Amino acid sequence: MTAITMDALFEEAQKAASFAYAPYSRFRVGAALLGEDGTVYTGCNVENRSFGLTICAERSALVHGVGRGSRSFVALAVATPDSERPVGPCGACRQVLSEFMEPEAPVRFGGGGGEQVDTTIGILYPYDSLHDLSLGR
Ligand code: THU
């Protein structure tokens, strides 16, 4: 299914977290999305002094991939090195990710303490009644 392992995808997310621009929260996040052809698209959170304009790492990775021509992603990893415990994608990102991922797609997230959570998009975003409206991909 996946061209690289979830371990390798998580390492890409960890690297991406090092690029985070998070001077306000001091909470770095990195995300790595695996495209159908095996390409990995990374992203980090990019904050703004107008706080509401901050973009999360997950959506940053997603727009990276879509902007490179990918329309479907088969796995996601998220790294939050500044938290001891794993931190999953926020609600807004779950909605946006579900536009381009199937419910069965694996998701791994982990913090700085070594613990990791393995789940799926469908578990993170259940009862996705609008999934069938995800047209154009
Ligand atoms: N953040 C993400 O990038 N992804 C998440 O799933 C949770 C939150 C960012 C937004 C903000 O820059 C910082 O983490 C603290 O909320």
Side-chain angles (χ1 to χ4, degrees), residues 3 13 15 18 24-25 27-30 49 52 55 77 81 90-91 106 108 115 129 131-132:
K15 278 188 235 165
S18 72
Y24 305 106
S25 72
F27 190 80
R28 295 166 298 165
V29 187
R49 61 188 181 276
I55 182 166
C90 78
R108 173 176 293 184
E115 182 189 345
S129 55
H131 189 78
D132 291 344

Side-chain angles (χ1 to χ4, degrees), residues 20-31 43-48 51 54-60 78-80 87-91 93-94:
Y21 176 71
Y24 305 106
S25 72
R26 300 275 171 204
F27 190 80
R28 295 166 298 165
V29 187
C44 60
N45 52 331
V46 181
E47 298 186 343
N48 191 272
F51 299 155
T54 291
I55 182 166
C56 292
E58 295 88 335
R59 277 176 286 159
S60 170
V78 180
T80 55
V87 173
C90 78
C93 286
R94 294 178 195 203

Side-chain angles (χ1 to χ4, degrees), residues 41-124:
Y41 303 100
T42 57
C44 60
N45 52 331
V46 181
E47 298 186 343
N48 191 272
R49 61 188 181 276
S50 178
F51 299 155
L53 299 182
T54 291
I55 182 166
C56 292
E58 295 88 335
R59 277 176 286 159
S60 170
L62 187 120
V63 297
H64 178 193
V66 173
R68 299 279 289 178
S70 189
R71 287 289 182 278
S72 182
F73 305 98
V74 296
L76 167 69
V78 180
T80 55
D82 298 319
S83 71
E84 175 71 13
R85 304 285 306 276
V87 173
C90 78
C93 286
R94 294 178 195 203
Q95 164 79 48
V96 173
L97 290 162
S98 74
E99 182 85 15
F100 297 97
M101 300 181 81
E102 293 303 320
E104 300 75 24
V107 178
R108 173 176 293 184
F109 51 92
E115 182 189 345
Q116 296 180 330
V117 173
D118 282 300
T119 184
T120 67
I121 287 290
I123 290 171
L124 290 175

